[in-house]
């Protein structure tokens, strides 16, 4: 079994006339700290100065940490860092130094926000940031963020393209908040199906202590520690949404109370299975586990039932239920497989340029042909063929119980994995025209 790393992140960067969202921070701390949760607070120089005493107390007592919120996260997504590279570098360096003066004990190894800037990977590397928080898997346009095509969880960012995994180590990309991979992909509405307690409440699929849907999402991440050395389940809440203040009237008092209860119930559900970590600790653990390149991810996902969503919150969205789905990414591609189908339902090819129409996706996915599937006394040979319109990454999901076997030989295989009693996954790179593959399995 791999490890489940759970960072809880609290956005606490807003400030107005010398006031920040301290009451909301206290509500989060009171709900989460008793369950062993460490909170990473995303702060600006101004907000960190205002709450420096509380941040220090929580750090000493519970292991909380701070990360640097860039200007766009402080005032809203419309205020982006701007100017030439050196000007942006100086601005971010000044912001970090302002936070450091307020809380000199903080690691400040993670930058939060501005992840859409074309030069952000270079900026982070130059300034010594280990991680960049804020990526939104499968999201289009919401909050002016379009990240569709990037991997889920953590990955090393390509300096030339922030949404594409790098060839080696780089700055670690970190999700804004974890998504339900199955529902987010099939519904194309990742913003409803996430760990954002306000969104699942507004969507009508969770309420107060009734968080069966969130627990089901968490259970999918927990189950997938069987197939991965590390699984990241990041939970985020905005402290200014945990209070009512004239500068940020987001929710009612009842909404605030409900959100706190839901966060606490989720923490209680996760506690027996998780390591609660800060963003800095999560980044260091990821680098230690993956010293050379982005880790491949294997996620087999079950659909989690929930009440019919509130139609005033969603529009133009199918609600399922959806079939079991296997999702995979590596440095070259991201793929999704629907149970029963051998070929991917979606291939995001990281060798393609990103655009706002395809998001790396291959528009023509060829269907494979089974040549033979021969069982011997204690071995097996499978031969498949596929005709490709052009070179592309590809994979086969052979659904079924292959737990008695191990992969003995498969020329051309990029990587393969047996998910016991579930499927055999085979990753290849196709060449234009006819491709034939032989897979030999031997008994264990």
């Amino acid at each position: 079994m791999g490890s489940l790393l759970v960072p809880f992140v609290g956005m606490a960067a807003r400030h107005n006339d010398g006031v920040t969202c301290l009451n909301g921070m206290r509500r989060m701390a009171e709900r989460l700290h008793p369950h062993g949760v460490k909170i990473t607070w995303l702060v600006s120089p101004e907000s960190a100065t205002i709450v420096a005493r509380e941040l220090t107390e929580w750090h000493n007592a519970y292991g909380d940490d701070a990360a640097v919120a860039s200007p766009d996260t402080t005032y809203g997504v419309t205020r982006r860092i701007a100017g030439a590279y050196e000007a942006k570098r100086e601005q971010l360096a000044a912001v970090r130094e302002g936070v450091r003066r307020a809380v000199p004990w903080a690691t400040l190894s993670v930058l939060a926000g501005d992840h859409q800037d074309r030069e952000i990977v270079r900026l982070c590397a130059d300034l010594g940031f280990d991680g960049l928080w804020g990526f939104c898997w499968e999201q289009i346009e919401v909050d002016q963020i379009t990240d569709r095509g990037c991997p889920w969880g953590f990955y090393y960012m390509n300096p030339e393209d922030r949404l594409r995994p790098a060839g080696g180590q780089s700055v670690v990309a970190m999700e804004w908040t974890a998504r339900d991979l199955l529902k987010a992909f099939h519904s194309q509405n990742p913003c409803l199906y996430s760990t954002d307690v306000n969104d699942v409440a507004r969507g009508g699929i969770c309420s107060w202590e009734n968080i069966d849907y969130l627990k089901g999402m968490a259970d999918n991440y927990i189950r997938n520690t069987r197939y991965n050395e590390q699984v990241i389940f990041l939970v985020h809440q905005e402290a200014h949404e945990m209070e009512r203040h004239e500068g940020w009237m987001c929710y009612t008092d009842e909404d605030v109370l409900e959100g706190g209860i839901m966060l606490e119930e989720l923490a209680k559900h996760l506690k027996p299975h998780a390591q609660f970590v800060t963003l800095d600790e999560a980044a260091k653990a990821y680098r230690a586990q993956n010293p050379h390149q982005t880790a491949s991810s294997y996620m087999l996902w079950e659909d989690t039932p929930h009440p019919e969503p509130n139609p005033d919150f969603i529009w133009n969205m199918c609600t399922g239920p959806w079939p079991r789905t296997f999702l995979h990414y590596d440095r070259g591609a991201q793929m999704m497989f629907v149970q029963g189908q051998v070929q991917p339902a979606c291939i995001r090819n990281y060798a393609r340029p990103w655009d706002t129409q395809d998001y790396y996706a291959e528009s023509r996915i060829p269907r494979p042909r089974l040549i033979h599937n021969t069982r011997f006394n204690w071995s097996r040979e499978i031969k498949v063929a596929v005709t490709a319109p052009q070179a592309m990454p590809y994979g086969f999901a052979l659904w079924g119980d292959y737990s008695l076997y191990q992969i003995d030989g498969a020329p051309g295989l990029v990587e393969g994995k047996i998910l016991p009693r579930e499927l055999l996954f085979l990753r290849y790179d196709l060449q234009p025209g006819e491709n034939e593959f032989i897979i030999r399995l031997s008994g264990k």
Side-chain angles (χ1 to χ4, degrees), residues 86-356:
E86 287 302 323
K88 292 188 288 189
R89 186 182 186 280
E90 290 177 9
Q91 182 185 18
L92 287 178
V95 170
R96 181 175 60 185
E97 185 55 32
V99 176
R100 191 182 304 281
R101 285 195 295 269
V103 283
W105 47 262
T107 61
L108 306 186
S109 64
V110 174
L111 177 68
D114 280 316
H115 75 284
Q116 295 185 92
D117 188 286
R118 290 181 177 274
E119 296 177 304
I120 196 63
V121 184
R122 180 184 169 200
L123 284 165
C124 286
D126 280 358
L127 291 168
F129 286 108
D130 282 341
L132 177 65
W133 171 91
F135 287 80
C136 300
W137 186 71
E138 285 296 289
Q139 185 163 307
I140 295 177
E141 296 180 350
V142 176
D143 292 334
Q144 301 178 38
I145 294 173
T146 295
D147 286 344
R148 181 164 291 177
C150 75
W152 56 85
F154 284 12
Y155 66 96
Y156 293 126
M157 287 184 287
N158 187 307
E160 305 303 320
D161 181 353
R162 64 188 180 86
L163 300 180
R164 175 184 293 134
Q169 264 208 13
S170 178
V171 180
V172 179
M174 301 172 165
E175 278 187 298
W176 184 301
T177 196
R179 312 291 170 126
D180 179 327
L181 302 185
L182 181 146
K183 290 183 185 291
F185 171 67
H186 287 294
S187 72
Q188 301 293 284
N189 188 354
C191 298
L192 172 60
Y193 296 119
S194 81
T195 57
D196 188 311
V197 293
N198 299 115
D199 285 347
V200 293
R202 289 189 295 169
I205 59 178
C206 289
S207 62
W208 303 97
E209 293 89 355
N210 304 315
I211 65 161
D212 287 348
Y213 169 69
L214 283 176
K215 291 178 180 178
M217 186 200 310
D219 289 343
N220 271 291
Y221 280 91
I222 293 166
R223 278 195 299 270
N224 278 289
T225 58
R226 302 169 183 171
Y227 315 124
N228 300 274
E229 294 295 330
Q230 282 180 345
V231 174
I232 311 293
F233 185 70
L234 195 152
V235 183
H236 165 260
Q237 175 64 337
E238 300 181 22
H240 61 266
E241 295 183 348
M242 294 295 293
E243 66 173 54
R244 285 181 62 78
H245 181 273
E246 61 183 11
W248 40 82
M249 288 288 191
C250 298
Y251 296 109
T252 66
D253 290 334
E254 291 77 15
D255 294 331
V256 168
L257 179 59
E258 180 184 48
I261 289 173
M262 293 167 70
L263 278 175
E264 183 173 11
E265 291 298 313
L266 180 57
K268 287 160 60 177
H269 183 75
L270 288 164
K271 186 175 182 178
H273 313 280
Q275 298 177 33
F276 293 134
V277 294
T278 64
L279 285 182
D280 175 72
E281 290 170 340
K284 285 182 168 57
Y286 186 83
R287 289 183 180 279
Q289 185 65 48
N290 309 289
H292 305 299
Q293 63 187 36
T294 294
S296 296
S297 180
Y298 311 87
M299 304 292 275
L300 180 60
W301 213 267
E302 307 274 352
D303 189 61
T304 302
H306 59 67
E308 191 68 20
N310 186 333
D312 290 336
F313 186 71
I314 63 168
W315 183 76
N316 191 28
M317 188 191 85
C318 296
T319 58
W322 308 104
R324 296 168 83 229
T325 301
F326 172 66
L327 305 97
H328 166 77
Y329 71 74
D330 56 29
R331 288 180 301 159
Q334 184 177 151
M335 303 180 191
M336 296 75 163
F337 300 82
V338 175
Q339 184 169 19
Q341 287 192 326
V342 174
Q343 75 276 4
C346 176
I347 300 174
R348 301 202 188 279
N349 181 358
Y350 290 131
R352 290 170 56 94
W354 185 90
D355 60 44
T356 55

Side-chain angles (χ1 to χ4, degrees), residues 10-13 25 41-45 47-48 51 55 66-70 74 95 99 103 108:
M11 174 60 70
M25 295 172 69
W41 301 101
L42 311 181
V43 292
S44 62
S47 70
V51 297
L55 290 176
V68 179
S70 65
T74 305
V95 170
V99 176
V103 283
L108 306 186

